[in-house]
Amino acid sequence: GENVEQHPSTLSVQEGDSAVIKCTYSDSASNYFPWYKQELGKRPQLIIDIRSNVGEKKDQRIAVTLNKTAKHFSLHITETQPEDSAVYFCAASSGNTPLVFGKGTRLSVIA
Amino acid sequence: DAGVIQSPRHEVTEMGQEVTLRCKPISGHNSLFWYRQTMMRGLELLIYFNNNVPIDDSGMPEDRFSAKMPNASFSTLKIQPSEPRDSAVYFCASSLSRQAGELFFGEGSRLTVL
């Protein structure tokens, strides 16, 4: 089955700097790669996703890149703000299988 | 729509007691998922249903765990008997279909087994 590895487990950045979180997956059949944000005590919520037919997707300050050959995808957050502090999860699925999540990255944005 | 609704939000029980967690998915969603979240293991899929039918329960830790979905608007996750290592946040999530992509999570049920 699918295995998703996520790094780093914790990340601290200064407000205004960029943050990058990286994930690798094992199943070459995976074709859907979402990112979820979970604030303290809240539910995970989708912030951006990418499918295997594109290499990059951007939505304001967040972007995701995908390298299918390397089985690697990343989340990029630019101009970080204190409200970006949360745990971020990457995930992967092949469409017919449920999402498999990485273990999460705790991002702290220091004002 | 009110989103995915879970109850109870918090449950504290003693080892050996039965625990029942409840979930109401978003109306019109055909797939329902139960995840368990712990610091050590992250978000683990326990079981998922498609059109009320259990598709994959390989993530259920042991026979003490069982899940049902008697109709499209209700699912339960039962632990009997409960053990301290079952302490975690249990999330229910739903999606339009298995292929639809986005999961909508409930607020979660925080279980503490003493």
Side-chain angles (χ1 to χ4, degrees):
Chain A
E2 177 65 277
N3 182 48
V4 177
E5 299 283 341
Q6 183 171 348
H7 300 280
S9 57
T10 60
L11 179 61
S12 291
V13 298
Q14 292 288 330
E15 183 177 358
D17 287 350
S18 296
V20 180
I21 303 170
K22 299 182 179 182
C23 289
T24 58
Y25 61 98
S26 61
D27 187 352
S28 57
S30 288
N31 57 11
Y32 176 63
F33 308 93
W35 288 86
Y36 284 75
K37 176 183 180 182
Q38 185 179 26
E39 297 178 354
L40 188 62
K42 302 284 184 65
R43 74 186 87 188
Q45 291 188 289
L46 179 72
I47 55 170
I48 194 168
D49 57 11
I50 191 168
R51 295 190 183 271
S52 59
N53 56 344
V54 297
E56 184 173 358
K57 184 175 178 181
K58 193 171 181 180
D59 181 4
Q60 299 183 343
R61 295 186 298 106
I62 60 174
V64 57
T65 59
L66 171 65
N67 182 329
K68 284 220 75 178
T69 302
K71 296 183 191 168
H72 172 275
F73 58 113
S74 301
L75 177 72
H76 304 251
I77 306 174
T78 58
E79 301 172 22
T80 53
Q81 301 168 3
E83 53 265 37
D84 295 329
S85 296
V87 179
Y88 292 81
F89 293 94
C90 62
S93 82
S94 67
N96 282 324
T97 57
L99 286 175
V100 175
F101 287 87
K103 291 240 179 353
T105 296
R106 182 174 300 278
L107 173 65
S108 299
V109 180
I110 304 164
Chain B
D1 198 315
V4 176
I5 300 172
Q6 289 187 246
S7 65
R9 292 291 314 280
H10 302 276
E11 173 95 8
V12 180
T13 191
E14 292 189 345
M15 183 173 63
Q17 296 297 306
E18 177 178 294
V19 174
T20 299
L21 308 178
R22 298 173 177 80
C23 176
K24 182 182 187 316
I26 293 172
S27 176
H29 282 194
N30 293 324
S31 294
L32 183 141
F33 306 80
W34 283 99
Y35 283 88
R36 178 172 67 176
Q37 185 175 35
T38 60
M39 288 292 292
M40 290 298 295
R41 301 173 72 91
L43 273 165
E44 300 175 275
L45 178 68
L46 300 178
I47 185 171
Y48 78 100
F49 297 82
N50 195 53
N51 293 321
N52 312 339
V53 176
I55 303 299
D56 184 356
D57 65 354
S58 60
M60 298 283 261
E62 44 197 277
D63 292 345
R64 297 184 297 107
F65 286 68
S66 63
K68 294 181 180 179
M69 191 166 187
N71 57 61
S73 60
F74 184 66
S75 176
T76 59
L77 177 68
K78 188 173 291 187
I79 309 172
Q80 166 64 20
S82 58
E83 297 182 2
R85 61 193 166 121
D86 301 332
S87 298
V89 180
Y90 291 81
F91 284 102
C92 176
S94 69
S95 67
L96 279 170
S97 69
R98 276 195 290 180
Q99 293 81 15
E102 182 174 3
L103 288 184
F104 294 82
F105 284 84
E107 297 276 12
S109 294
R110 180 176 295 278
L111 173 64
T112 302
V113 183
L114 302 174

